[in-house]
Structures are given as structure tokens and as C-alpha cells.
Amino acid sequence: MEIENVTVFSEEDFENADTIRLIKDQEFGDSDDLFFANVRGFITDDSGRVYIWDIAPGTLTIHLFSSDGDYITSLGRSGRGPGEFNSICCLNVRSNRLYVVDIALSRITTYSTDSFELLETVSIDLNNLNSAGQLSGKRFWRHYFIDDETRLLAYKAPQRAFEDTPATIHYFTADSAYQELGEEVLKQNEVLENWGDSNMGSIMKQFSFQKKPLITVTPTGRIFIADSDELFIRELNKEGDVIEGFYYPVPRIPVTREDARNSANKMTMDIAESVELPKVWPIMQSMWSDDNERLWISTFTETEDELEWWVIETNGELIGKFRWPGDREAPPYINGSTFTHIQGDYFYTREEDAETGLQTVVRYRVERVTE
């Protein structure tokens, strides 16, 4: 690769990697007084408390548990007033404050993590944010912390129906008061939308074997990006310049028409039969970072119901790998599954009972086994 400051690893660097073992440690979930309808994500704070948000229609609530699994309280509800949400995304705990992003209402609600008191609600819309026309045709999409004074805001320019140019995601820095938008520092192409017709009208389908963008921002504000079709990770500064990166030459898995059919239902089967297939699957399904400045990357395997996770230092050194259940044909969210969180030596994931549909968040203790 003819790019400066990129470390290129060989197959030997990952073939003999240590094994990571996950040991079930604690569950956070349904009880006689609480039922999760649609868990969309979860985070933890420094004391190990777990914040789980439920986005079922009419619910939109954040449930808080102690590190021992005891239920503490709930925050918010569906609505448009103070402490109410139309959507919940991108939770973050910093300096004894819980930040909750509402994409639908373009605003951020802040709670005290000491008293759970509602502190403030700040709009991130064009009336509050001086954007100099940079956001024309775009809608608020994601929110990240770079440091106490700087935010990274993502806005999406959508793909038009029946066009083959994908949506684009534009990243800008902004001040902590959300009044001044900085220059655009990054643009990524979203996964392509494939359009067709059905008895109900136009219909759209995305496939997990199509390339998508990945991004993660560490708790200290380091920005890492990749495209899912190769294990090539780049670190950016907040001006959008590539600082360094690393690359692993991972073997590829062929894509078949049956893969497309397995991802479709009756309404989208015609799209599955006609969609242009790439020759091979992407390598990465998702990319996350933890509070120890490590990257956790889930990769596709030859097995439809299993992923292989890589745990990597930010300089590219492979710490270890493990296999874990995962649906290869699941919808290709912007960062893969949203049901993953890592803090310290704990791996949190959402699990659902196949028979009852009951959802829980499960914490696993991470152990590194030297081969």
C-alpha cells in the first residue's frame, strides 16, 4: 500500500493469535415489573451501572441497572417535551452527566448521573447552529465526543429512490454549545439502497454483503474509520487528516445468489434475484472501541450464524480473537449490530430468547488465553 504511516501485517500475524474467552458474568433484563420491548443499545458508566434504552413505539425509555443487576430507575418517555424523546441514540456518560441524543428532534438531553435530575435540553437544529449552508439537503444522523469542547456531528444526505448513488454521511466538528459548525472533516458513502416494486408500492432492501462505512470514536476522542470490504483501519485527527493506519490481508469468502435470497423475504425476493453481487463478502461486520483504547472488530466467516471477533491495539497489534454467534444476513446497520458495548475487561451484548422473544443484556468477563 502506497500510503504513509501504514503498518502492513502478514497472515502469520493473525493466524497464531491468542484466544479470547468470554465467561458469562451478569444479566440485566426482564423481571416481573419490567419488560423490554425493543432494546436498541446500552452503555455503562465508571461504576459499572448499565443504561439500556428501549425504543418500542410509545416507550422510548432509558432503564438503569446497578453493576450487580439490580434495577435502579428509568429516565424519559415518548413525547416532545423536556425529558421526552422521539428517538434515542448515542448515549454517553462524561463528567457525571448522561448525554442522550434524539435524532428525530435534533437535540441533546442531559441528566445528572448522581441525582438523575434532568439538567438541560439543547437543540442541534439550523435555528441554533450556525452552519453557513453546509447542512443543506442533509439530516442529523450521529453524535460523538472529541473532547470537552469539541463534538463530531454526522449528517446524512439520503439516497434517492431508484438511483444507484448511495447516501453520503458528512462529519463536521462543532463547539460544545452547538452554535458553531466547523469545516467538514470526513465524508463516507453509506451502504447502497436497492429499490424495487411490490404490491404495496416501492420497496427498498440493503444487503449485508455490500460495502458499508465504519467509524468509532474512543473515549479520548481518537477517530478510527474503515470500509467494511477490507481490514484497513485509519486514524484521523479532528481536522480529518490521516495520522496512521494498519492493514491485515484477510482471506475472502465468495458471495452467492443464495446469500441474497437468505437475506430477503417475500416482499424483497425480486430485489434479491436481480441485485448485482460482489465477488466476495466484506471482511468486517462492525468496529467498536473500548475505554482501554482497544478496537473490537467483528468479521464475517464461512459460517452463516457465527462471527469472528478481533481485539486489536490502536497501533494494529492483534491481542486475540474469538468466535461468537452472529447473523451474517442481518440488516447492515451503519456500524453493524448496535447491540455491543465493551468496558474494561467486560463484553456486553444483547441476547434474545428464540421461543419467548424476551430480551436481556448480558455481561461477559473477558479472558485472554495464550496459545
Side-chain angles (χ1 to χ4, degrees), residues 132-150:
Q134 296 160 289
L135 303 181
S136 177
K138 306 175 183 68
R139 60 185 176 88
F140 181 47
W141 184 241
R142 290 291 184 270
H143 173 281
Y144 306 89
F145 280 85
I146 301 301
D147 53 44
D148 289 340
E149 303 300 326
T150 310

Side-chain angles (χ1 to χ4, degrees), residues 145-284:
F145 280 85
I146 301 301
D147 53 44
D148 289 340
E149 303 300 326
T150 310
R151 310 291 187 260
L152 185 68
L153 305 182
Y155 290 82
K156 178 189 261 190
Q159 177 180 338
R160 294 183 179 180
F162 289 93
E163 290 193 357
D164 58 4
T165 301
T168 52
I169 305 170
H170 303 256
Y171 297 83
F172 304 86
T173 54
D175 67 304
S176 59
Y178 306 99
Q179 295 181 348
E180 294 292 334
L181 197 71
E183 296 295 322
E184 182 175 332
V185 299
L186 172 66
K187 183 175 80 171
Q188 293 180 307
N189 288 331
E190 243 280 39
V191 62
L192 187 69
E193 298 174 354
N194 305 275
W195 288 83
D197 294 312
S198 72
N199 294 334
M200 304 294 291
S202 299
I203 191 170
M204 185 273 290
K205 171 67 178 172
Q206 294 176 311
F207 294 92
S208 53
F209 51 69
Q210 295 177 307
K211 182 175 74 172
K212 67 181 177 185
L214 300 173
I215 183 170
T216 187
V217 180
T218 73
T220 61
R222 298 174 67 182
I223 306 168
F224 293 88
I225 65 167
D227 289 318
S228 63
D229 62 340
E230 55 182 354
L231 211 163
F232 177 29
I233 314 297
R234 286 92 72 198
E235 180 177 1
L236 309 180
N237 60 24
K238 64 181 181 181
E239 286 75 37
D241 302 316
V242 176
I243 303 171
E244 58 186 359
F246 60 88
Y247 172 82
Y248 279 92
V250 182
R252 311 303 293 270
I253 304 166
V255 174
T256 67
R257 183 63 61 185
E258 194 62 26
D259 291 330
R261 297 186 185 111
N262 290 340
S263 301
N265 55 29
K266 287 185 178 181
M267 295 182 66
T268 59
M269 190 57 69
D270 287 345
I271 300 176
E273 294 291 354
S274 61
V275 64
E276 182 178 353
L277 301 179
K279 292 182 179 180
V280 291
W281 276 82
I283 291 173
M284 295 188 289

Side-chain angles (χ1 to χ4, degrees), residues 52-91:
I52 303 172
W53 55 99
D54 189 337
I55 65 163
T59 304
L60 290 172
T61 300
I62 301 163
H63 299 286
L64 177 60
F65 292 80
S66 74
S67 62
D68 295 325
D70 297 325
Y71 188 73
I72 299 175
T73 190
S74 64
L75 302 172
R77 61 184 181 184
S78 182
R80 304 180 66 90
E84 297 178 337
F85 309 108
N86 272 197
S87 66
I88 299 177
C89 169
C90 314
L91 269 66

Side-chain angles (χ1 to χ4, degrees), residues 350-368:
R350 191 195 81 164
E351 297 185 359
E352 182 172 338
D353 188 284
E355 294 183 0
T356 65
L358 292 177
Q359 300 174 358
T360 57
V361 174
V362 183
R363 182 178 68 204
Y364 290 85
R365 181 162 47 86
V366 178
E367 286 190 356
R368 180 178 178 180

Side-chain angles (χ1 to χ4, degrees), residues 245-350:
F246 60 88
Y247 172 82
Y248 279 92
V250 182
R252 311 303 293 270
I253 304 166
V255 174
T256 67
R257 183 63 61 185
E258 194 62 26
D259 291 330
R261 297 186 185 111
N262 290 340
S263 301
N265 55 29
K266 287 185 178 181
M267 295 182 66
T268 59
M269 190 57 69
D270 287 345
I271 300 176
E273 294 291 354
S274 61
V275 64
E276 182 178 353
L277 301 179
K279 292 182 179 180
V280 291
W281 276 82
I283 291 173
M284 295 188 289
Q285 189 254 13
S286 65
M287 178 172 66
W288 306 90
S289 55
D290 65 19
D291 56 337
N292 288 323
E293 302 287 301
R294 300 171 299 193
L295 300 177
W296 294 65
I297 297 169
S298 64
T299 65
F300 292 107
T301 71
E302 70 288 346
T303 305
E304 295 179 1
D305 59 356
E306 189 176 56
L307 300 172
E308 182 174 73
W309 284 80
W310 296 40
V311 185
I312 304 177
E313 300 283 5
T314 52
N315 64 3
E317 179 184 346
L318 180 60
I319 298 171
K321 299 192 295 184
F322 63 95
R323 293 268 177 146
W324 199 248
D327 183 3
R328 193 169 70 180
E329 275 84 30
Y333 298 112
I334 184 65
N335 194 26
S337 168
T338 59
F339 312 129
T340 303
H341 176 76
I342 307 102
Q343 183 190 41
D345 291 325
Y346 291 101
F347 179 91
Y348 297 77
T349 185
R350 191 195 81 164

